[in-house]
Amino acid sequence: MSFFDTFIMFAVLSALLGFFNSLFHPAASAMVADVTTPEQRNEAFGLLRMGHNIGAAIGPLLGASIIFFSKSIIFLITASTVIFYAFIVFISIKETLPKSDLVKEHAKQSAEKIPSPFSVLWKDRLLLVFVLTGVVISMSFSQTEGMLPIHFDIEMKHLPETLNPFPYLLAFNGLLVVLFQFPIASWSGKFRIGAVMLWGSILFGLGQIGIALLPSTFYEARLDFLPILLLLLVVYAVYTLGEMLITPVQMTFISNIAPDHLRGTYMGAAGLQWIIGGAVGPIISGYLLNKELGDIMFTALGIGCMIAGVVYLNINKYLMPNPTTHPSLSTSVDNQNG
């Protein structure tokens, strides 16, 4: 991206970036699941997410300090860092797939043809329901991160654009995740996955509804920037708490229901919820924000998240008394009950 400035090349490079990202993240999640027991996975995925957020917090600061010298050098440094990371992975990280006799037998049976994520979704209806439910969650994430500053500009016309609260909320979100993601993931691992996803979805949805409705109230009251920011920080803390509860247990759930030799495929299938939500969300939100209906959009997403939590809970209730419906869950069910 440092050598091209045309729209077509930028689109091609962005598509390639998305493609290779879709190869990395399912494999990384599958590797985490391979080297952890079911009761450890919530903490492990919490650590993984904390690492991502540390990078997301430090990266823009470093980029802002370098951009004064050269815009191109930012991409060159980023590319060099990723290549160096790939070299470390190649040298130091070994195959983590468990080597039990059962896994070897499964791997031998599946050696001829590994099912595609779409095939897995079609055959595993539980996974399909989980992914479809997760589309609402992913739409909420993508719209909050991408469209919230526009919503604030539309609803709080009395504030200048330079005082848009969004950058402060984003930084606050990253700080909370870095400080509290691991202890929250560790604590929530003591409870059943369905209950954690339910409460996480409720808090996440309440945060969305607060984001939807408060800005117009602030405008009517002509509140100054500081009280607006403080109140939105409280709402965003609720939103972030829900986010920290949901994200690790989603990956834990997928890794628990996936057969050992198909974890990467299951992670890839589960990643479709983020692809679909990220693709559909901007189309819908763009139309609604153009009509100045951002309050309706974020309220609908908030309610949808809470409904998704109920679905998650019922999926877990369906599995808990019937572990034989998903044999790979028998061990994790015993651990949850213990």
Side-chain angles (χ1 to χ4, degrees), residues 250-332:
Q250 280 188 324
M251 303 311 297
T252 300
F253 178 85
I254 294 300
S255 62
N256 285 351
I257 68 170
D260 289 343
H261 66 295
L262 290 178
R263 279 204 184 112
T265 305
Y266 267 65
M267 293 294 181
L272 289 172
Q273 63 185 309
W274 300 101
I275 296 173
I276 296 171
V280 175
I283 298 173
I284 298 174
S285 63
Y287 174 79
L288 291 175
L289 286 172
N290 188 51
K291 300 290 185 180
E292 298 192 359
L293 297 175
D295 52 345
I296 294 177
M297 177 187 73
F298 283 107
T299 300
L301 287 173
I303 294 172
C305 287
M306 290 189 277
I307 294 173
V310 175
V311 176
Y312 286 144
L313 180 65
N314 280 280
I315 290 176
N316 194 67
K317 283 184 176 180
Y318 169 75
L319 288 170
M320 294 304 289
N322 301 291
T324 54
T325 57
H326 242 285
S328 58
L329 270 182
S330 56
T331 302
S332 60

Side-chain angles (χ1 to χ4, degrees), residues 169-209:
L169 299 181
L170 199 61
F172 182 62
N173 172 270
L175 178 64
L176 289 180
V177 171
V178 170
L179 293 177
F180 300 111
Q181 178 64 83
F182 180 71
I184 286 176
S186 179
W187 170 78
S188 63
K190 302 174 183 177
F191 304 96
R192 292 186 175 183
I193 290 176
V196 175
M197 287 195 288
L198 171 65
W199 286 109
S201 299
I202 289 174
L203 292 172
F204 192 68
L206 288 174
Q208 292 273 330
I209 293 173

Side-chain angles (χ1 to χ4, degrees), residues 42-253:
N42 218 39
E43 294 182 27
F45 285 118
L47 275 174
L48 186 66
R49 186 164 183 272
M50 186 177 72
H52 290 165
N53 276 270
I54 291 174
I58 295 176
L61 297 177
L62 295 176
S65 64
I66 295 173
I67 197 170
F68 294 104
F69 300 100
S70 171
K71 294 180 181 179
S72 297
I73 199 172
I74 296 176
F75 295 102
L76 291 174
I77 292 174
T78 302
S80 301
T81 304
V82 174
I83 292 171
F84 179 67
Y85 172 71
F87 177 75
I88 293 176
V89 171
F90 179 76
I91 296 297
S92 305
I93 305 297
K94 308 301 180 183
E95 177 58 60
T96 58
L97 184 68
K99 300 300 182 182
S100 67
D101 292 338
L102 180 60
V103 173
K104 288 181 180 179
E105 181 182 342
H106 283 171
K108 184 182 293 185
Q109 292 174 354
S110 60
E112 296 180 2
K113 184 178 180 181
I114 299 296
S116 69
F118 296 103
S119 176
V120 167
L121 276 174
W122 180 253
K123 293 178 180 178
D124 192 332
R125 298 306 171 87
L126 179 69
L127 177 63
L128 179 61
V129 172
F130 181 87
V131 168
L132 292 177
T133 303
V135 169
V136 180
I137 303 293
S138 69
M139 285 179 63
S140 299
F141 271 113
S142 62
Q143 299 325 295
T144 302
E145 293 178 357
M147 300 296 184
L148 189 55
I150 300 174
H151 173 60
F152 285 159
D153 283 338
I154 292 173
E155 296 295 332
M156 296 185 289
K157 298 180 178 67
H158 65 300
L159 292 181
E161 290 185 5
T162 54
L163 291 181
N164 192 303
F166 179 72
Y168 303 95
L169 299 181
L170 199 61
F172 182 62
N173 172 270
L175 178 64
L176 289 180
V177 171
V178 170
L179 293 177
F180 300 111
Q181 178 64 83
F182 180 71
I184 286 176
S186 179
W187 170 78
S188 63
K190 302 174 183 177
F191 304 96
R192 292 186 175 183
I193 290 176
V196 175
M197 287 195 288
L198 171 65
W199 286 109
S201 299
I202 289 174
L203 292 172
F204 192 68
L206 288 174
Q208 292 273 330
I209 293 173
I211 287 169
L213 301 179
L214 283 177
S216 60
T217 304
F218 295 153
Y219 174 71
E220 291 173 2
R222 296 299 193 275
L223 280 184
D224 293 331
F225 173 73
L226 185 57
I228 288 176
L229 179 61
L230 293 175
L231 289 171
L232 286 177
L233 286 175
V234 173
V235 173
Y236 224 69
V238 175
Y239 167 91
T240 305
L241 177 58
E243 175 188 348
M244 289 188 287
L245 286 171
I246 294 171
T247 308
V249 294
Q250 280 188 324
M251 303 311 297
T252 300
F253 178 85

